Structure formats: C-alpha cells, structure tokens
Amino acid sequence: MPAPSRAEGAAPPPDAVAKAADALAEAARTGVPCPPVRGLIDAADTAAAYAVQRLNTERLLGGGRRVVGRKIGLTSPAVQRQLGVDRPDFGALLSDMAVPDGGTVPAGRLLQPKVEAEVALVLGAGLPHEQNTVADVLRAVDFALPALEIVDSRIADWDITYADTVADNASSGLFVLGGTPVPLTGVDLRAVRMVLTRDGEEVSAGSGTDCLGGPLNAAVWLASVLAAAGDPLRAGDVVLTGALGPMVPAAPGDMFETRITGLGSARVTFGKEEER
C-alpha cells in the first residue's frame, strides 16, 4: 500500500517509522492506548505518517487478512480546521473489520470507539488514472450502500494531529454496510439526508453536501491520490466516503442505526461487558 509521494525532503527515518508502528500495534494488541506518535515522527511529515500506516497494514496482511477497500477521513471542513489541515486522509479497510448489518461488536474489541454514518461505494471497475473526474467515478461505481463506520484511536484520549491519525490507519476501527445495493442512477448523493440514532434517540444528522460537497467528490480525491501513489482503487473495493454528520462516542450496550434517504439503513450493537 504505497503512501502518497513526498513533495520534498529526505525519506522518513526507518527507525522512527518502526517505533511509531510498534507503539500503535502494541496499543491494539493490549487494549492500552499509547501516547501520540507525533513525538516519534515529525508532526508535519505526511509521508512518514503514511509509512507508519503502510508498515502496520503490511504486518496485518502477513497474518492472513486482506484489503477490501479504503476509508476517507477528515472530509468535514470543521474537522479540517480543528486539525489545521486542508485535505482529507485515507486508511485501509481490512477483511476482518467488516461487521454484518445488525451485528454486535464484542465488548473490548475496540479501545475508544465512536460511530459515524457514511455513504459507501462499491466499485465494479478500477480507477487507474491519476486525474479523475466525477464522471470517471460514476462509471466505476457498481452501487452505493448506507454505512456505519466505527472509528477508533490507539492514541490515548483521542489526542491526535493529522500525522497521528494518518499513522493510525486514519483512526479506523470497524465498518457496517447496509444490505440493499442502490445504483447511482437512482439517487443524488449530494441531496441525501442522514439521521443517526443511539437506542432510538437522534444523536447526529447531516447531508451529502457535508462530505466535501458530496461523497463523489471525496471518491474522486481518493482515486486520484491512490493512483498517483501506484496503488489504485480496484474492482470490488469498498470506499467509505466520509462522515455525513458528527461522530458519536459508543459505550457497551449501545445500539446505533443510521437511515440515509434513498439508500436505506444500517445498524450495529455494542456488546455489554459481561458478554465477553
């Protein structure tokens, strides 16, 4: 999984990258969050942060997992301003991160989970070109689904900068896809409305335009960045295009459901502590 190419400067120090990757991997293994990794790599060095992400992803792939798609993060202008960045980031979706619609996340599976609702795109064709348009993405997408992304941070108290979240696989955790595919000919993703409930109470809401002006815009950005890095989106990939509303903390016993107009619903429950 190549990282975005470095615009200038030397390659990131291998020892710093390895130490940051080790810290994040140990936090995931033990369930004990680690300090921010910006103390190990330059907080302004995006290439080093993606090198950390790539190293830990390759380690997981060596254990038998496989990449099934990508997630896009930081698609909200408000969150970008909060972290002082002007662009989204991305992470890898692995096969063991998928939770069935209506399924349960076992207690203790994640460290500091939060839930956000998104539009997922499933590709029927690859996007190999470095400069993509909305038309390219429309041709490549097979169908859309409502999705819940369960984000997580291996870094204590979510004390993250852009470099921290990139290194930590864009704060990926798990994801849930709704079960009814919708062709894009039948829905305008900019106009969709999203409501997220926790135990039946609305906790987040938003629209398609809250995701970089529209989920397809986010997909165009991702496709172009990955193709330029030599690792383009491929047929069959799932793309989580970014949150349509604020993320919400999750606790044991919580049940979350999102409904997105034109796409349907997706639901997940967090197991109680005694269910371990």
PDB file of all heavy atoms in Angstrom, residues 24-67:
ATOM      1  N   LEU A  24       1.746   1.755  18.030  1.00  0.00           N
ATOM      2  CA  LEU A  24       0.338   1.607  17.661  1.00  0.00           C
ATOM      3  C   LEU A  24      -0.086   0.143  17.671  1.00  0.00           C
ATOM      4  O   LEU A  24      -1.187  -0.196  18.127  1.00  0.00           O
ATOM      5  CB  LEU A  24       0.100   2.227  16.290  1.00  0.00           C
ATOM      6  CG  LEU A  24       0.234   3.755  16.230  1.00  0.00           C
ATOM      7  CD1 LEU A  24       0.293   4.233  14.781  1.00  0.00           C
ATOM      8  CD2 LEU A  24      -0.911   4.438  16.966  1.00  0.00           C
ATOM      9  N   ALA A  25       0.767  -0.728  17.168  1.00  0.00           N
ATOM     10  CA  ALA A  25       0.448  -2.155  17.151  1.00  0.00           C
ATOM     11  C   ALA A  25       0.335  -2.713  18.568  1.00  0.00           C
ATOM     12  O   ALA A  25      -0.546  -3.538  18.859  1.00  0.00           O
ATOM     13  CB  ALA A  25       1.508  -2.921  16.367  1.00  0.00           C
ATOM     14  N   GLU A  26       1.203  -2.274  19.463  1.00  0.00           N
ATOM     15  CA  GLU A  26       1.154  -2.747  20.846  1.00  0.00           C
ATOM     16  C   GLU A  26      -0.114  -2.255  21.537  1.00  0.00           C
ATOM     17  O   GLU A  26      -0.731  -2.984  22.319  1.00  0.00           O
ATOM     18  CB  GLU A  26       2.393  -2.257  21.604  1.00  0.00           C
ATOM     19  CG  GLU A  26       2.462  -2.692  23.052  1.00  0.00           C
ATOM     20  CD  GLU A  26       2.686  -4.187  23.230  1.00  0.00           C
ATOM     21  OE1 GLU A  26       2.853  -4.917  22.235  1.00  0.00           O
ATOM     22  OE2 GLU A  26       2.709  -4.637  24.402  1.00  0.00           O
ATOM     23  N   ALA A  27      -0.535  -1.017  21.240  1.00  0.00           N
ATOM     24  CA  ALA A  27      -1.778  -0.498  21.813  1.00  0.00           C
ATOM     25  C   ALA A  27      -2.966  -1.327  21.344  1.00  0.00           C
ATOM     26  O   ALA A  27      -3.863  -1.654  22.133  1.00  0.00           O
ATOM     27  CB  ALA A  27      -1.952   0.971  21.426  1.00  0.00           C
ATOM     28  N   ALA A  28      -2.980  -1.679  20.071  1.00  0.00           N
ATOM     29  CA  ALA A  28      -4.067  -2.511  19.553  1.00  0.00           C
ATOM     30  C   ALA A  28      -4.052  -3.893  20.180  1.00  0.00           C
ATOM     31  O   ALA A  28      -5.109  -4.461  20.484  1.00  0.00           O
ATOM     32  CB  ALA A  28      -3.951  -2.621  18.034  1.00  0.00           C
ATOM     33  N   ARG A  29      -2.869  -4.453  20.416  1.00  0.00           N
ATOM     34  CA  ARG A  29      -2.756  -5.804  20.966  1.00  0.00           C
ATOM     35  C   ARG A  29      -3.181  -5.852  22.423  1.00  0.00           C
ATOM     36  O   ARG A  29      -3.882  -6.781  22.851  1.00  0.00           O
ATOM     37  CB  ARG A  29      -1.313  -6.304  20.827  1.00  0.00           C
ATOM     38  CG  ARG A  29      -1.118  -7.747  21.240  1.00  0.00           C
ATOM     39  CD  ARG A  29       0.343  -8.148  21.238  1.00  0.00           C
ATOM     40  NE  ARG A  29       1.100  -7.498  22.293  1.00  0.00           N
ATOM     41  CZ  ARG A  29       1.110  -7.919  23.574  1.00  0.00           C
ATOM     42  NH1 ARG A  29       0.414  -8.980  23.927  1.00  0.00           N
ATOM     43  NH2 ARG A  29       1.829  -7.278  24.473  1.00  0.00           N
ATOM     44  N   THR A  30      -2.778  -4.857  23.195  1.00  0.00           N
ATOM     45  CA  THR A  30      -3.009  -4.880  24.637  1.00  0.00           C
ATOM     46  C   THR A  30      -4.305  -4.204  25.052  1.00  0.00           C
ATOM     47  O   THR A  30      -4.780  -4.414  26.179  1.00  0.00           O
ATOM     48  CB  THR A  30      -1.854  -4.182  25.366  1.00  0.00           C
ATOM     49  OG1 THR A  30      -1.812  -2.793  24.978  1.00  0.00           O
ATOM     50  CG2 THR A  30      -0.524  -4.852  25.044  1.00  0.00           C
ATOM     51  N   GLY A  31      -4.846  -3.354  24.178  1.00  0.00           N
ATOM     52  CA  GLY A  31      -6.021  -2.582  24.560  1.00  0.00           C
ATOM     53  C   GLY A  31      -5.698  -1.376  25.416  1.00  0.00           C
ATOM     54  O   GLY A  31      -6.587  -0.743  25.978  1.00  0.00           O
ATOM     55  N   VAL A  32      -4.419  -1.020  25.499  1.00  0.00           N
ATOM     56  CA  VAL A  32      -3.980   0.136  26.278  1.00  0.00           C
ATOM     57  C   VAL A  32      -3.500   1.214  25.306  1.00  0.00           C
ATOM     58  O   VAL A  32      -2.476   1.027  24.628  1.00  0.00           O
ATOM     59  CB  VAL A  32      -2.848  -0.231  27.254  1.00  0.00           C
ATOM     60  CG1 VAL A  32      -2.396   1.006  28.027  1.00  0.00           C
ATOM     61  CG2 VAL A  32      -3.299  -1.327  28.197  1.00  0.00           C
ATOM     62  N   PRO A  33      -4.205   2.348  25.202  1.00  0.00           N
ATOM     63  CA  PRO A  33      -3.796   3.385  24.253  1.00  0.00           C
ATOM     64  C   PRO A  33      -2.386   3.894  24.536  1.00  0.00           C
ATOM     65  O   PRO A  33      -1.913   3.874  25.677  1.00  0.00           O
ATOM     66  CB  PRO A  33      -4.851   4.483  24.456  1.00  0.00           C
ATOM     67  CG  PRO A  33      -6.030   3.782  25.040  1.00  0.00           C
ATOM     68  CD  PRO A  33      -5.461   2.687  25.907  1.00  0.00           C
ATOM     69  N   CYS A  34      -1.731   4.353  23.477  1.00  0.00           N
ATOM     70  CA  CYS A  34      -0.361   4.835  23.585  1.00  0.00           C
ATOM     71  C   CYS A  34      -0.319   6.364  23.467  1.00  0.00           C
ATOM     72  O   CYS A  34      -1.297   6.981  23.042  1.00  0.00           O
ATOM     73  CB  CYS A  34       0.511   4.209  22.497  1.00  0.00           C
ATOM     74  SG  CYS A  34       0.047   4.677  20.805  1.00  0.00           S
ATOM     75  N   PRO A  35       0.794   6.986  23.813  1.00  0.00           N
ATOM     76  CA  PRO A  35       0.930   8.423  23.605  1.00  0.00           C
ATOM     77  C   PRO A  35       0.907   8.751  22.113  1.00  0.00           C
ATOM     78  O   PRO A  35       1.124   7.880  21.259  1.00  0.00           O
ATOM     79  CB  PRO A  35       2.296   8.747  24.215  1.00  0.00           C
ATOM     80  CG  PRO A  35       2.584   7.611  25.147  1.00  0.00           C
ATOM     81  CD  PRO A  35       1.953   6.410  24.508  1.00  0.00           C
ATOM     82  N   PRO A  36       0.669  10.009  21.764  1.00  0.00           N
ATOM     83  CA  PRO A  36       0.686  10.395  20.343  1.00  0.00           C
ATOM     84  C   PRO A  36       2.014  10.036  19.684  1.00  0.00           C
ATOM     85  O   PRO A  36       3.083  10.199  20.290  1.00  0.00           O
ATOM     86  CB  PRO A  36       0.485  11.914  20.397  1.00  0.00           C
ATOM     87  CG  PRO A  36      -0.235  12.152  21.688  1.00  0.00           C
ATOM     88  CD  PRO A  36       0.310  11.130  22.649  1.00  0.00           C
ATOM     89  N   VAL A  37       1.948   9.554  18.458  1.00  0.00           N
ATOM     90  CA  VAL A  37       3.184   9.162  17.770  1.00  0.00           C
ATOM     91  C   VAL A  37       3.882  10.343  17.119  1.00  0.00           C
ATOM     92  O   VAL A  37       4.978  10.187  16.570  1.00  0.00           O
ATOM     93  CB  VAL A  37       2.904   8.062  16.722  1.00  0.00           C
ATOM     94  CG1 VAL A  37       2.417   6.791  17.401  1.00  0.00           C
ATOM     95  CG2 VAL A  37       1.924   8.525  15.661  1.00  0.00           C
ATOM     96  N   ARG A  38       3.270  11.526  17.181  1.00  0.00           N
ATOM     97  CA  ARG A  38       3.953  12.714  16.661  1.00  0.00           C
ATOM     98  C   ARG A  38       5.224  13.023  17.457  1.00  0.00           C
ATOM     99  O   ARG A  38       6.037  13.858  17.019  1.00  0.00           O
ATOM    100  CB  ARG A  38       3.017  13.915  16.650  1.00  0.00           C
ATOM    101  CG  ARG A  38       2.463  14.310  18.016  1.00  0.00           C
ATOM    102  CD  ARG A  38       1.497  15.480  17.888  1.00  0.00           C
ATOM    103  NE  ARG A  38       0.927  15.881  19.174  1.00  0.00           N
ATOM    104  CZ  ARG A  38      -0.192  15.387  19.690  1.00  0.00           C
ATOM    105  NH1 ARG A  38      -0.861  14.451  19.029  1.00  0.00           N
ATOM    106  NH2 ARG A  38      -0.648  15.824  20.851  1.00  0.00           N
ATOM    107  N   GLY A  39       5.379  12.373  18.607  1.00  0.00           N
ATOM    108  CA  GLY A  39       6.628  12.505  19.330  1.00  0.00           C
ATOM    109  C   GLY A  39       7.740  11.643  18.764  1.00  0.00           C
ATOM    110  O   GLY A  39       8.899  11.813  19.132  1.00  0.00           O
ATOM    111  N   LEU A  40       7.385  10.736  17.848  1.00  0.00           N
ATOM    112  CA  LEU A  40       8.367   9.841  17.228  1.00  0.00           C
ATOM    113  C   LEU A  40       8.661  10.211  15.786  1.00  0.00           C
ATOM    114  O   LEU A  40       9.769   9.985  15.292  1.00  0.00           O
ATOM    115  CB  LEU A  40       7.851   8.401  17.290  1.00  0.00           C
ATOM    116  CG  LEU A  40       7.634   7.842  18.700  1.00  0.00           C
ATOM    117  CD1 LEU A  40       6.915   6.493  18.632  1.00  0.00           C
ATOM    118  CD2 LEU A  40       8.972   7.691  19.423  1.00  0.00           C
ATOM    119  N   ILE A  41       7.650  10.734  15.084  1.00  0.00           N
ATOM    120  CA  ILE A  41       7.846  11.203  13.711  1.00  0.00           C
ATOM    121  C   ILE A  41       7.528  12.690  13.678  1.00  0.00           C
ATOM    122  O   ILE A  41       6.837  13.216  14.549  1.00  0.00           O
ATOM    123  CB  ILE A  41       6.935  10.454  12.722  1.00  0.00           C
ATOM    124  CG1 ILE A  41       5.455  10.605  13.105  1.00  0.00           C
ATOM    125  CG2 ILE A  41       7.317   8.984  12.642  1.00  0.00           C
ATOM    126  CD1 ILE A  41       4.490  10.016  12.102  1.00  0.00           C
ATOM    127  N   ASP A  42       8.041  13.372  12.681  1.00  0.00           N
ATOM    128  CA  ASP A  42       7.768  14.802  12.524  1.00  0.00           C
ATOM    129  C   ASP A  42       6.275  14.995  12.290  1.00  0.00           C
ATOM    130  O   ASP A  42       5.704  14.421  11.358  1.00  0.00           O
ATOM    131  CB  ASP A  42       8.577  15.329  11.338  1.00  0.00           C
ATOM    132  CG  ASP A  42       8.456  16.837  11.156  1.00  0.00           C
ATOM    133  OD1 ASP A  42       7.535  17.448  11.729  1.00  0.00           O
ATOM    134  OD2 ASP A  42       9.277  17.396  10.416  1.00  0.00           O
ATOM    135  N   ALA A  43       5.639  15.804  13.110  1.00  0.00           N
ATOM    136  CA  ALA A  43       4.195  16.013  13.002  1.00  0.00           C
ATOM    137  C   ALA A  43       3.794  16.607  11.661  1.00  0.00           C
ATOM    138  O   ALA A  43       2.638  16.483  11.240  1.00  0.00           O
ATOM    139  CB  ALA A  43       3.709  16.917  14.131  1.00  0.00           C
ATOM    140  N   ALA A  44       4.735  17.230  10.957  1.00  0.00           N
ATOM    141  CA  ALA A  44       4.435  17.817   9.655  1.00  0.00           C
ATOM    142  C   ALA A  44       4.794  16.896   8.493  1.00  0.00           C
ATOM    143  O   ALA A  44       4.581  17.262   7.328  1.00  0.00           O
ATOM    144  CB  ALA A  44       5.182  19.148   9.497  1.00  0.00           C
ATOM    145  N   ASP A  45       5.310  15.704   8.805  1.00  0.00           N
ATOM    146  CA  ASP A  45       5.806  14.794   7.764  1.00  0.00           C
ATOM    147  C   ASP A  45       4.726  13.783   7.394  1.00  0.00           C
ATOM    148  O   ASP A  45       4.626  12.697   7.973  1.00  0.00           O
ATOM    149  CB  ASP A  45       7.058  14.085   8.277  1.00  0.00           C
ATOM    150  CG  ASP A  45       7.814  13.354   7.173  1.00  0.00           C
ATOM    151  OD1 ASP A  45       7.211  13.127   6.095  1.00  0.00           O
ATOM    152  OD2 ASP A  45       8.986  13.013   7.377  1.00  0.00           O
ATOM    153  N   THR A  46       3.916  14.149   6.405  1.00  0.00           N
ATOM    154  CA  THR A  46       2.825  13.275   5.985  1.00  0.00           C
ATOM    155  C   THR A  46       3.348  11.958   5.434  1.00  0.00           C
ATOM    156  O   THR A  46       2.752  10.893   5.665  1.00  0.00           O
ATOM    157  CB  THR A  46       1.969  13.980   4.926  1.00  0.00           C
ATOM    158  OG1 THR A  46       1.435  15.183   5.495  1.00  0.00           O
ATOM    159  CG2 THR A  46       0.826  13.098   4.462  1.00  0.00           C
ATOM    160  N   ALA A  47       4.443  11.997   4.698  1.00  0.00           N
ATOM    161  CA  ALA A  47       4.996  10.769   4.129  1.00  0.00           C
ATOM    162  C   ALA A  47       5.400   9.786   5.221  1.00  0.00           C
ATOM    163  O   ALA A  47       5.185   8.578   5.095  1.00  0.00           O
ATOM    164  CB  ALA A  47       6.192  11.092   3.233  1.00  0.00           C
ATOM    165  N   ALA A  48       5.987  10.293   6.311  1.00  0.00           N
ATOM    166  CA  ALA A  48       6.361   9.409   7.416  1.00  0.00           C
ATOM    167  C   ALA A  48       5.127   8.799   8.051  1.00  0.00           C
ATOM    168  O   ALA A  48       5.110   7.610   8.404  1.00  0.00           O
ATOM    169  CB  ALA A  48       7.170  10.180   8.446  1.00  0.00           C
ATOM    170  N   ALA A  49       4.072   9.594   8.213  1.00  0.00           N
ATOM    171  CA  ALA A  49       2.838   9.081   8.815  1.00  0.00           C
ATOM    172  C   ALA A  49       2.240   7.973   7.962  1.00  0.00           C
ATOM    173  O   ALA A  49       1.801   6.932   8.492  1.00  0.00           O
ATOM    174  CB  ALA A  49       1.838  10.218   8.997  1.00  0.00           C
ATOM    175  N   TYR A  50       2.208   8.164   6.648  1.00  0.00           N
ATOM    176  CA  TYR A  50       1.691   7.102   5.781  1.00  0.00           C
ATOM    177  C   TYR A  50       2.624   5.895   5.759  1.00  0.00           C
ATOM    178  O   TYR A  50       2.174   4.755   5.574  1.00  0.00           O
ATOM    179  CB  TYR A  50       1.447   7.624   4.365  1.00  0.00           C
ATOM    180  CG  TYR A  50       0.093   8.281   4.206  1.00  0.00           C
ATOM    181  CD1 TYR A  50      -0.023   9.653   4.021  1.00  0.00           C
ATOM    182  CD2 TYR A  50      -1.086   7.526   4.244  1.00  0.00           C
ATOM    183  CE1 TYR A  50      -1.268  10.258   3.885  1.00  0.00           C
ATOM    184  CE2 TYR A  50      -2.326   8.122   4.106  1.00  0.00           C
ATOM    185  CZ  TYR A  50      -2.413   9.494   3.924  1.00  0.00           C
ATOM    186  OH  TYR A  50      -3.652  10.077   3.803  1.00  0.00           O
ATOM    187  N   ALA A  51       3.923   6.116   5.956  1.00  0.00           N
ATOM    188  CA  ALA A  51       4.848   4.984   6.037  1.00  0.00           C
ATOM    189  C   ALA A  51       4.545   4.126   7.262  1.00  0.00           C
ATOM    190  O   ALA A  51       4.614   2.892   7.218  1.00  0.00           O
ATOM    191  CB  ALA A  51       6.293   5.487   6.069  1.00  0.00           C
ATOM    192  N   VAL A  52       4.182   4.767   8.376  1.00  0.00           N
ATOM    193  CA  VAL A  52       3.786   4.030   9.575  1.00  0.00           C
ATOM    194  C   VAL A  52       2.529   3.217   9.287  1.00  0.00           C
ATOM    195  O   VAL A  52       2.446   2.023   9.612  1.00  0.00           O
ATOM    196  CB  VAL A  52       3.542   4.992  10.753  1.00  0.00           C
ATOM    197  CG1 VAL A  52       2.987   4.232  11.954  1.00  0.00           C
ATOM    198  CG2 VAL A  52       4.830   5.716  11.137  1.00  0.00           C
ATOM    199  N   GLN A  53       1.537   3.879   8.690  1.00  0.00           N
ATOM    200  CA  GLN A  53       0.294   3.184   8.344  1.00  0.00           C
ATOM    201  C   GLN A  53       0.573   1.991   7.448  1.00  0.00           C
ATOM    202  O   GLN A  53       0.041   0.892   7.659  1.00  0.00           O
ATOM    203  CB  GLN A  53      -0.663   4.144   7.639  1.00  0.00           C
ATOM    204  CG  GLN A  53      -1.973   3.502   7.217  1.00  0.00           C
ATOM    205  CD  GLN A  53      -2.838   4.398   6.332  1.00  0.00           C
ATOM    206  OE1 GLN A  53      -3.358   3.961   5.300  1.00  0.00           O
ATOM    207  NE2 GLN A  53      -3.015   5.660   6.722  1.00  0.00           N
ATOM    208  N   ARG A  54       1.409   2.191   6.441  1.00  0.00           N
ATOM    209  CA  ARG A  54       1.697   1.120   5.483  1.00  0.00           C
ATOM    210  C   ARG A  54       2.388  -0.060   6.157  1.00  0.00           C
ATOM    211  O   ARG A  54       2.064  -1.226   5.885  1.00  0.00           O
ATOM    212  CB  ARG A  54       2.562   1.670   4.349  1.00  0.00           C
ATOM    213  CG  ARG A  54       2.856   0.647   3.249  1.00  0.00           C
ATOM    214  CD  ARG A  54       3.551   1.297   2.066  1.00  0.00           C
ATOM    215  NE  ARG A  54       4.870   1.805   2.386  1.00  0.00           N
ATOM    216  CZ  ARG A  54       5.179   3.086   2.508  1.00  0.00           C
ATOM    217  NH1 ARG A  54       4.247   4.022   2.402  1.00  0.00           N
ATOM    218  NH2 ARG A  54       6.419   3.468   2.775  1.00  0.00           N
ATOM    219  N   LEU A  55       3.324   0.231   7.060  1.00  0.00           N
ATOM    220  CA  LEU A  55       4.051  -0.839   7.740  1.00  0.00           C
ATOM    221  C   LEU A  55       3.103  -1.700   8.561  1.00  0.00           C
ATOM    222  O   LEU A  55       3.150  -2.940   8.487  1.00  0.00           O
ATOM    223  CB  LEU A  55       5.145  -0.237   8.629  1.00  0.00           C
ATOM    224  CG  LEU A  55       5.942  -1.226   9.479  1.00  0.00           C
ATOM    225  CD1 LEU A  55       6.572  -2.317   8.626  1.00  0.00           C
ATOM    226  CD2 LEU A  55       7.009  -0.480  10.290  1.00  0.00           C
ATOM    227  N   ASN A  56       2.223  -1.083   9.328  1.00  0.00           N
ATOM    228  CA  ASN A  56       1.308  -1.882  10.139  1.00  0.00           C
ATOM    229  C   ASN A  56       0.284  -2.617   9.284  1.00  0.00           C
ATOM    230  O   ASN A  56      -0.125  -3.737   9.619  1.00  0.00           O
ATOM    231  CB  ASN A  56       0.615  -1.005  11.182  1.00  0.00           C
ATOM    232  CG  ASN A  56       1.419  -0.912  12.470  1.00  0.00           C
ATOM    233  OD1 ASN A  56       2.265  -1.752  12.754  1.00  0.00           O
ATOM    234  ND2 ASN A  56       1.165   0.131  13.251  1.00  0.00           N
ATOM    235  N   THR A  57      -0.135  -2.019   8.179  1.00  0.00           N
ATOM    236  CA  THR A  57      -1.051  -2.720   7.278  1.00  0.00           C
ATOM    237  C   THR A  57      -0.383  -3.949   6.680  1.00  0.00           C
ATOM    238  O   THR A  57      -0.977  -5.030   6.614  1.00  0.00           O
ATOM    239  CB  THR A  57      -1.533  -1.786   6.158  1.00  0.00           C
ATOM    240  OG1 THR A  57      -2.212  -0.672   6.738  1.00  0.00           O
ATOM    241  CG2 THR A  57      -2.471  -2.505   5.205  1.00  0.00           C
ATOM    242  N   GLU A  58       0.866  -3.801   6.259  1.00  0.00           N
ATOM    243  CA  GLU A  58       1.591  -4.942   5.690  1.00  0.00           C
ATOM    244  C   GLU A  58       1.769  -6.051   6.723  1.00  0.00           C
ATOM    245  O   GLU A  58       1.693  -7.240   6.394  1.00  0.00           O
ATOM    246  CB  GLU A  58       2.944  -4.464   5.161  1.00  0.00           C
ATOM    247  CG  GLU A  58       2.812  -3.598   3.907  1.00  0.00           C
ATOM    248  CD  GLU A  58       4.123  -2.949   3.505  1.00  0.00           C
ATOM    249  OE1 GLU A  58       5.087  -2.980   4.316  1.00  0.00           O
ATOM    250  OE2 GLU A  58       4.179  -2.388   2.398  1.00  0.00           O
ATOM    251  N   ARG A  59       1.982  -5.682   7.969  1.00  0.00           N
ATOM    252  CA  ARG A  59       2.091  -6.693   9.029  1.00  0.00           C
ATOM    253  C   ARG A  59       0.784  -7.481   9.169  1.00  0.00           C
ATOM    254  O   ARG A  59       0.783  -8.702   9.318  1.00  0.00           O
ATOM    255  CB  ARG A  59       2.427  -6.017  10.351  1.00  0.00           C
ATOM    256  CG  ARG A  59       3.842  -5.464  10.448  1.00  0.00           C
ATOM    257  CD  ARG A  59       3.989  -4.596  11.689  1.00  0.00           C
ATOM    258  NE  ARG A  59       5.375  -4.236  11.962  1.00  0.00           N
ATOM    259  CZ  ARG A  59       5.750  -3.388  12.921  1.00  0.00           C
ATOM    260  NH1 ARG A  59       4.828  -2.822  13.693  1.00  0.00           N
ATOM    261  NH2 ARG A  59       7.028  -3.118  13.114  1.00  0.00           N
ATOM    262  N   LEU A  60      -0.338  -6.762   9.125  1.00  0.00           N
ATOM    263  CA  LEU A  60      -1.635  -7.423   9.249  1.00  0.00           C
ATOM    264  C   LEU A  60      -1.917  -8.312   8.049  1.00  0.00           C
ATOM    265  O   LEU A  60      -2.474  -9.407   8.185  1.00  0.00           O
ATOM    266  CB  LEU A  60      -2.735  -6.376   9.417  1.00  0.00           C
ATOM    267  CG  LEU A  60      -2.689  -5.571  10.723  1.00  0.00           C
ATOM    268  CD1 LEU A  60      -3.715  -4.452  10.690  1.00  0.00           C
ATOM    269  CD2 LEU A  60      -2.927  -6.476  11.927  1.00  0.00           C
ATOM    270  N   LEU A  61      -1.535  -7.856   6.859  1.00  0.00           N
ATOM    271  CA  LEU A  61      -1.741  -8.677   5.667  1.00  0.00           C
ATOM    272  C   LEU A  61      -0.909  -9.946   5.747  1.00  0.00           C
ATOM    273  O   LEU A  61      -1.330 -11.001   5.268  1.00  0.00           O
ATOM    274  CB  LEU A  61      -1.383  -7.878   4.409  1.00  0.00           C
ATOM    275  CG  LEU A  61      -2.253  -6.651   4.117  1.00  0.00           C
ATOM    276  CD1 LEU A  61      -1.764  -5.938   2.867  1.00  0.00           C
ATOM    277  CD2 LEU A  61      -3.713  -7.037   3.984  1.00  0.00           C
ATOM    278  N   GLY A  62       0.247  -9.855   6.365  1.00  0.00           N
ATOM    279  CA  GLY A  62       1.072 -11.038   6.542  1.00  0.00           C
ATOM    280  C   GLY A  62       0.436 -12.060   7.464  1.00  0.00           C
ATOM    281  O   GLY A  62       0.792 -13.235   7.430  1.00  0.00           O
ATOM    282  N   GLY A  63      -0.523 -11.601   8.258  1.00  0.00           N
ATOM    283  CA  GLY A  63      -1.228 -12.506   9.155  1.00  0.00           C
ATOM    284  C   GLY A  63      -2.464 -13.126   8.539  1.00  0.00           C
ATOM    285  O   GLY A  63      -3.242 -13.782   9.248  1.00  0.00           O
ATOM    286  N   GLY A  64      -2.678 -12.908   7.253  1.00  0.00           N
ATOM    287  CA  GLY A  64      -3.789 -13.558   6.557  1.00  0.00           C
ATOM    288  C   GLY A  64      -4.968 -12.676   6.232  1.00  0.00           C
ATOM    289  O   GLY A  64      -5.912 -13.125   5.575  1.00  0.00           O
ATOM    290  N   ARG A  65      -4.945 -11.443   6.691  1.00  0.00           N
ATOM    291  CA  ARG A  65      -6.034 -10.545   6.337  1.00  0.00           C
ATOM    292  C   ARG A  65      -5.844 -10.046   4.909  1.00  0.00           C
ATOM    293  O   ARG A  65      -4.794 -10.244   4.301  1.00  0.00           O
ATOM    294  CB  ARG A  65      -6.080  -9.363   7.307  1.00  0.00           C
ATOM    295  CG  ARG A  65      -6.296  -9.791   8.757  1.00  0.00           C
ATOM    296  CD  ARG A  65      -6.188  -8.587   9.668  1.00  0.00           C
ATOM    297  NE  ARG A  65      -6.524  -8.916  11.042  1.00  0.00           N
ATOM    298  CZ  ARG A  65      -5.644  -8.970  12.028  1.00  0.00           C
ATOM    299  NH1 ARG A  65      -4.376  -8.729  11.787  1.00  0.00           N
ATOM    300  NH2 ARG A  65      -6.028  -9.258  13.249  1.00  0.00           N
ATOM    301  N   ARG A  66      -6.863  -9.372   4.365  1.00  0.00           N
ATOM    302  CA  ARG A  66      -6.747  -8.791   3.030  1.00  0.00           C
ATOM    303  C   ARG A  66      -7.409  -7.421   3.004  1.00  0.00           C
ATOM    304  O   ARG A  66      -8.322  -7.139   3.784  1.00  0.00           O
ATOM    305  CB  ARG A  66      -7.376  -9.694   1.972  1.00  0.00           C
ATOM    306  CG  ARG A  66      -8.860  -9.916   2.131  1.00  0.00           C
ATOM    307  CD  ARG A  66      -9.392 -10.953   1.154  1.00  0.00           C
ATOM    308  NE  ARG A  66     -10.821 -11.171   1.335  1.00  0.00           N
ATOM    309  CZ  ARG A  66     -11.763 -10.522   0.671  1.00  0.00           C
ATOM    310  NH1 ARG A  66     -11.430  -9.622  -0.258  1.00  0.00           N
ATOM    311  NH2 ARG A  66     -13.047 -10.756   0.893  1.00  0.00           N
ATOM    312  N   VAL A  67      -6.931  -6.576   2.111  1.00  0.00           N
ATOM    313  CA  VAL A  67      -7.521  -5.256   1.930  1.00  0.00           C
ATOM    314  C   VAL A  67      -8.786  -5.406   1.095  1.00  0.00           C
ATOM    315  O   VAL A  67      -8.765  -6.004   0.016  1.00  0.00           O
ATOM    316  CB  VAL A  67      -6.533  -4.300   1.232  1.00  0.00           C
ATOM    317  CG1 VAL A  67      -7.219  -2.967   0.902  1.00  0.00           C
ATOM    318  CG2 VAL A  67      -5.316  -4.053   2.113  1.00  0.00           C
TER     319      VAL A  67
END
